[in-house]
Amino acid sequence: MPAKSSTIVTALTAAAVVVVGFLGYQAAASAPDTLTPARKDGHSASKGHSDRPGKKDRTPAPVPVPAASGKGQRVVYSLGGKRVWLVDAKDRAVRTFTVAPSTVHPQPGTYTVGSRSVSVTGSDGIAIEHVVRFTTVEGITVGFSAAVDGSRPDPGSSKRTGGIRESREDGKAMWDFALQGTKVVVVA
């Protein structure tokens, strides 16, 4: 009986190796020759550029990082442009995207990421995730976050909030990039 059991185990192991090998071959055969960052909406990201989540990217080239935003690895937030850049140590934008500003705005200047939360309820009562906080203005904490339901704040709201909203995809990119202590540069 033991010889028969080992024959069955050997046959099952050989069959499993064949199946895994076949699946690996299929995966390799269907993989593209070059990889580009994937976007949630199914389009390829172009040079780290993400704009209008869920819609076709109509901007042919990425928006350049503001010249007066310093040097080195940093998050750059343009108040007037309603845009964020994630800039690497070599001063290259690895990603840029639009945001919906909060009703409370930080002054232009340099800050650092002071705290982060995976998920909380925003001051507007909306469930948010990937919260990256960098300053406080008049007692209101200001930071980047993504609404779990994908909503953006009402621009006509009179409620004072510090949440700078981004898409969930952009929020995840911010979360991965802006660790505790990361420099945040706010420009006009």
Side-chain angles (χ1 to χ4, degrees), residues 23-103:
L23 292 174
Y25 168 77
Q26 279 188 320
S30 65
D33 291 334
T34 59
L35 297 177
T36 56
R39 288 184 6 190
K40 191 174 184 178
D41 62 6
H43 295 92
S44 295
S46 172
K47 298 181 185 174
H49 180 72
S50 169
D51 203 1
R52 289 183 292 234
K55 306 223 178 191
K56 185 174 179 184
D57 186 359
R58 295 185 184 110
T59 307
V63 178
V65 177
S69 67
K71 297 285 182 197
Q73 182 172 338
R74 64 200 182 276
V75 173
V76 178
Y77 171 42
S78 170
L79 295 167
K82 300 177 186 173
R83 177 172 289 279
V84 168
W85 292 261
L86 306 180
V87 183
D88 69 11
K90 295 181 180 180
D91 291 319
R92 295 180 302 212
V94 295
R95 187 180 190 97
T96 183
F97 49 90
T98 57
V99 294
S102 58
T103 57

Side-chain angles (χ1 to χ4, degrees), residues 132-146:
V132 175
R133 300 175 198 90
F134 63 92
T135 192
T136 302
V137 176
E138 299 172 8
I140 297 172
T141 303
V142 178
F144 304 102
S145 63

Side-chain angles (χ1 to χ4, degrees), residues 8-22:
I8 292 172
V9 170
T10 302
L12 289 174
T13 302
V17 169
V18 169
V19 168
V20 169
F22 177 72

Side-chain angles (χ1 to χ4, degrees), residues 73-77 84-87 97 106 109-118 130-136 141-145 164 166 171-186:
Q73 182 172 338
R74 64 200 182 276
V75 173
V76 178
Y77 171 42
V84 168
W85 292 261
L86 306 180
V87 183
F97 49 90
T110 301
Y111 305 87
T112 58
V113 173
S115 67
R116 299 165 19 115
S117 296
V118 174
H130 299 124
V131 182
V132 175
R133 300 175 198 90
F134 63 92
T135 192
T136 302
T141 303
V142 178
F144 304 102
S145 63
I164 304 161
E166 52 207 356
K172 175 69 168 97
M174 174 71 77
W175 178 260
D176 292 342
F177 183 87
L179 303 177
Q180 189 92 8
T182 298
K183 184 168 42 173
V184 177
V185 179
V186 177

